[in-house]
Amino acid sequence: MQTGLQSASIQIPRKKFDLLTIFKNLIVRSARLGESSVRPSAIFQALRGDFLRLRFQPDRHHSVEIIECPGLSLNQQDLDALVKDCRAVVASCLNGNQLEYGLFAPGGAAWDRSVITLVRSTDDGRPIAFNAMPLLPVMRGGQASHVLHLGLVMVDPRERGGGLSWILYGLTCFALFVRGGLRPLWISSVTQVPAVVGMVAETFDQVYPGQAGTAPSFAHRYLAHQIMAGERAAFGVGDDAGFDPEAQVITNAYTGGSDNLKKSFAVAAKHREARYNMFCAAALNYDRGDDVLQIGRLDLGSARRFLARSVPRGALPQLAAQGLMIGVQAVVAPLLQWLDADTPLGRLRPAR
């Protein structure tokens, strides 16, 4: 239906004006002149894509692929291959056993709302590590939002100590932070491993519990309440598990499909800073199987620290190129789509 403003406007014949094609041609010309280190096809794909998908090689030994919501963004053949690769990593970590919660729960719904980071060896293409980060729906400030749960991390035992932690934890968060227009990104983590508790506390801002000097705010309490009320299945915690909202500790946590991940304090990987090891030893009952629920956020300050402290110098050029593509997708693409008068935008601009 035409609005009054549209019906009153003067109709001037015009040639079709495809801004996306023009922008693509500009990128191609710049690349031919040696002015761009990023492949034009990759940038144009970033413009068109509805979901984040990145491929790059941070060093000569590893290749990385980040896929947002693969259950929605991949065809069935590619999705089946991704599931197979992730299960191969799980089997290598659990002596041939598999997990049956979260990403691997029956029905496969978690693949529709998770961000998967898969690392392969460039020597033989073998999958060696992955991280699955579900996007947990929450209400924040009276509006629907989400929390990025750091989720399941699995690394082939033969590849541990290979410097993959910055990829499996920080890189995906950084990519989504840029994709979101540099707006603060709330994160959550459920673990009993001191090394992970310390990593979260040192990587992100406003982390509670486990971060020195950070007291719980209303946001921490409210987000933790929502996550425990409706999203336990995302991290393999059963309905019979208890929750201490003051300490944000989940008691008897390994009853919802994550039983194979339960560890003793002696076996759990320790952090180089003793205070995180001491925190976990005091706060968690490892015989019972407790976990800590950490809530924090990624903002400009923590993103800057990630780039300065965690990313190897050799990977910075590649990361900068990928950041450019994500920035194009987050900022430039919506602007171009708005300026293209032939593209319908719902109520803002109905189709003609």
Side-chain angles (χ1 to χ4, degrees):
M1 182 177 69
Q2 300 253 335
T3 66
L5 179 61
Q6 288 173 323
S7 61
S9 63
I10 301 175
Q11 300 297 319
I12 301 176
R14 60 183 178 86
K15 185 178 180 180
K16 180 175 174 61
F17 191 50
D18 190 344
L19 281 169
L20 291 176
T21 300
I22 293 174
F23 188 70
K24 179 184 178 183
N25 291 336
L26 288 174
I27 294 174
V28 171
R29 291 174 185 174
S30 297
R32 287 173 179 170
L33 293 173
E35 298 171 1
S36 175
S37 61
V38 184
R39 289 177 299 172
S41 59
I43 295 181
F44 192 62
Q45 183 179 5
L47 281 171
R48 288 291 194 188
D50 293 325
F51 299 98
L52 177 67
R53 186 170 186 182
L54 298 178
R55 293 189 186 98
F56 76 107
Q57 189 172 331
D59 56 55
R60 58 179 180 167
H61 301 294
H62 305 108
S63 64
V64 178
E65 185 171 15
I66 301 175
I67 308 172
E68 181 183 3
C69 303
L72 302 176
S73 61
L74 298 182
N75 60 46
Q76 191 61 49
Q77 181 178 355
D78 290 343
L79 178 61
D80 291 343
L82 179 62
V83 174
K84 181 179 178 181
D85 285 344
C86 291
R87 284 198 173 275
V89 176
V90 173
S92 70
C93 295
L94 301 179
N95 297 318
N97 294 317
Q98 287 291 327
L99 298 172
E100 301 301 332
Y101 81 95
L103 198 64
F104 303 105
W111 296 91
D112 291 351
R113 64 167 190 166
S114 296
V115 184
I116 309 299
T117 302
L118 181 66
V119 183
R120 294 185 177 88
S121 168
T122 54
D123 295 333
D124 53 12
R126 176 174 52 92
I128 61 173
F130 76 89
N131 189 1
M133 297 187 178
L135 297 164
L136 307 181
V138 296
M139 293 296 294
R140 192 167 58 85
Q143 301 205 354
S145 183
H146 66 262
V147 169
L148 180 67
H149 185 68
L150 298 187
L152 179 66
V153 176
M154 306 293 283
V155 182
D156 189 314
R158 295 168 291 181
E159 305 292 337
R160 291 172 185 169
L164 298 177
S165 60
W166 74 273
I167 296 173
L168 294 171
Y169 287 102
L171 177 61
T172 307
C173 297
F174 177 77
L176 291 171
F177 174 66
V178 176
R179 170 78 177 272
L182 307 184
R183 289 184 290 272
L185 175 67
W186 284 93
I187 61 94
S188 64
S189 173
V190 171
T191 188
Q192 61 174 183
V193 179
V196 177
V197 170
M199 181 279 301
V200 172
E202 294 188 350
T203 302
F204 302 98
D205 283 327
Q206 299 184 30
V207 175
Y208 179 83
Q211 188 179 71
T214 299
S217 66
F218 173 78
H220 290 101
R221 299 295 196 208
Y222 187 46
L223 293 176
H225 170 76
Q226 293 181 77
I227 290 171
M228 290 305 300
E231 299 299 329
R232 292 182 177 219
F235 38 88
V237 171
D239 293 336
D240 54 342
F243 181 62
D244 179 349
E246 295 298 321
Q248 288 189 197
V249 169
I250 307 169
T251 58
N252 190 29
Y254 293 83
T255 60
S258 59
D259 310 50
N260 289 328
L261 298 179
K262 182 179 177 180
K263 300 175 180 64
S264 66
F265 180 75
V267 171
K270 306 301 187 295
H271 197 275
R272 64 183 181 277
E273 294 287 343
R275 65 178 182 273
Y276 300 117
N277 306 328
M278 295 171 60
F279 165 79
C280 290
L284 305 178
N285 183 328
Y286 282 81
D287 292 333
R288 181 172 57 195
D290 292 354
D291 275 342
V292 60
L293 169 58
Q294 291 177 287
I295 304 289
R297 71 179 202 170
L298 177 64
D299 54 24
L300 282 173
S302 46
R304 184 169 56 249
R305 288 198 305 275
F306 168 71
L307 292 175
R309 299 177 184 177
S310 301
V311 180
R313 289 185 178 274
L316 283 173
Q318 277 274 359
L319 187 58
Q322 300 298 331
L324 171 62
M325 286 191 289
I326 301 169
V328 165
Q329 188 178 33
V331 179
V332 179
L335 175 61
L336 293 175
Q337 291 162 3
W338 172 254
L339 293 175
D340 185 355
D342 292 327
T343 302
L345 293 175
R347 290 186 177 184
L348 296 178
R349 184 169 59 221
R352 284 183 281 181

